[in-house]
Amino acid sequence: MKKSFAHWAAALLIAGVVSAAEPQTARVMGQRVNLRARADLNAEVVGQVSEGDTLRIKSVQESWVEVVPPDSVDLWVNKDLINGSRVNVSQANVRAGPGVNYTVVGRLNRDEVVAAKGSFGEWLRIAPFAASSLW
């Protein structure tokens, strides 16, 4: 049952892929399609996209499509790892939500700049970046 549902979900997402010379994109075909932290139906939902939205594809693995998160999605990093708007550690985990129990959806390296969108406790809500991934 899970495999057929996953195939159905992937079919809703992929309307068409452009040539390999251009960045691969897909148009969302479902009314509300969940973007998950991992390629797993039980993974936390990080955001949703709507019919007609276009996403940049990073990879396709079986029935899952790895995409660059759209600007409408919020990602999270611990405030202690950021100084001003720059990462101040060798590598900072970026998570699907504000806490260490959320899945890592990307990593930022020292001196990379983050675009802050707000905060929650010790967590900074940031804009997505190209190296992050959702499914």
Side-chain angles (χ1 to χ4, degrees):
M1 179 70 177
K2 279 188 178 182
K3 187 165 180 99
S4 64
F5 176 79
H7 284 294
W8 174 80
L12 283 179
L13 179 62
I14 301 176
V17 177
V18 294
S19 73
E22 300 175 30
Q24 293 185 333
T25 60
R27 186 175 322 131
V28 177
M29 300 300 290
Q31 288 185 348
R32 279 187 232 122
V33 176
N34 290 332
L35 294 174
R36 296 183 180 273
R38 295 184 325 272
D40 182 338
L41 289 175
N42 295 317
E44 60 264 64
V45 174
V46 182
Q48 289 186 333
V49 288
S50 300
E51 187 172 8
D53 289 348
T54 300
L55 301 171
R56 283 192 356 232
I57 297 174
K58 294 177 83 172
S59 73
V60 177
Q61 297 178 13
E62 296 182 20
S63 58
W64 289 91
V65 180
E66 180 184 19
V67 298
V68 174
D71 291 337
S72 61
V73 170
D74 295 329
L75 302 179
W76 298 84
V77 65
N78 189 290
K79 286 181 183 178
D80 292 340
L81 308 178
I82 307 297
N83 184 14
S85 61
R86 293 191 180 274
V87 176
N88 67 4
V89 294
S90 60
Q91 194 170 67
N93 288 333
V94 177
R95 297 186 179 271
V100 295
N101 293 328
Y102 287 92
T103 302
V104 173
V105 295
R107 290 187 173 78
L108 292 164
N109 296 314
R110 183 180 302 279
D111 292 328
E112 286 191 78
V113 176
V114 298
K117 296 169 73 176
S119 63
F120 180 77
E122 63 189 42
W123 293 88
L124 188 64
R125 186 174 62 213
I126 64 170
F129 53 99
S132 55
S133 293
L134 296 178
W135 299 85

